Amino acid sequence: QVQLVESGGGLVQAGGSLRLSCAASGRTFSSYVMGWFRQAPGKEREFVAAIPWSGGATYYADSVKGRFTISRDNAKNTVYLQMNSLKPEDTAVYVCAAVFRGAPNYTDYNWYNYWGQGTQVTVSS
């Protein structure tokens, strides 16, 4: 059974940092791309970042480019999202997801097969 479990969310002041983790289990993810999405109250789910398990280019939403960094630790089966210079508009539930590497669009949540439960990130002004 595939499980994606996020951790690391919390309350932080604007300008601060958080690191989210997504621990994956239940299958081999070497042919998958791992993504982070977020959803704020009353808003649509939004792509944040993505990274292939087996290496290659990373992908970022324009709104987080230069502030967020996605990375992976294959030995720990864990994907990270380092978030720096946080802004109040980054407040959302952050969710980890997995999509097969052959999918045509890693920024579209409709292509993703597996989802975690999410972790709340709140940035105060």
Side-chain angles (χ1 to χ4, degrees):
Q1 182 178 354
V2 173
Q3 274 197 313
L4 302 177
V5 180
E6 303 93 338
S7 61
L11 173 63
V12 64
Q13 285 191 331
S17 298
L18 281 175
R19 189 177 80 154
L20 305 183
S21 299
C22 172
S25 63
R27 68 163 301 129
T28 301
F29 285 95
S30 57
S31 297
Y32 280 74
V33 171
M34 303 301 293
W36 284 98
F37 290 80
R38 66 186 183 186
Q39 188 162 17
K43 294 190 176 181
E44 283 203 6
R45 192 175 305 181
E46 176 188 22
F47 170 76
V48 176
I51 186 169
W53 267 119
S54 57
T58 53
Y59 307 84
Y60 294 96
D62 288 342
S63 58
V64 307
K65 217 172 277 185
R67 299 188 299 123
F68 291 10
T69 303
I70 190 170
S71 62
R72 73 198 190 283
D73 184 332
N74 289 8
K76 295 183 178 179
N77 261 15
T78 300
V79 175
Y80 303 99
L81 185 68
Q82 178 66 44
M83 305 186 296
N84 298 329
S85 302
L86 282 161
K87 305 174 182 180
E89 50 264 44
D90 293 318
T91 295
V93 174
Y94 284 71
V95 186
C96 174
V99 62
F100 186 67
R101 190 159 186 171
N105 187 349
Y106 302 141
T107 68
D108 183 349
Y109 66 83
N110 288 296
W111 289 102
Y112 281 73
N113 309 99
Y114 304 108
W115 292 88
Q117 298 284 1
T119 185
Q120 176 71 46
V121 171
T122 303
V123 184
S124 63
S125 55

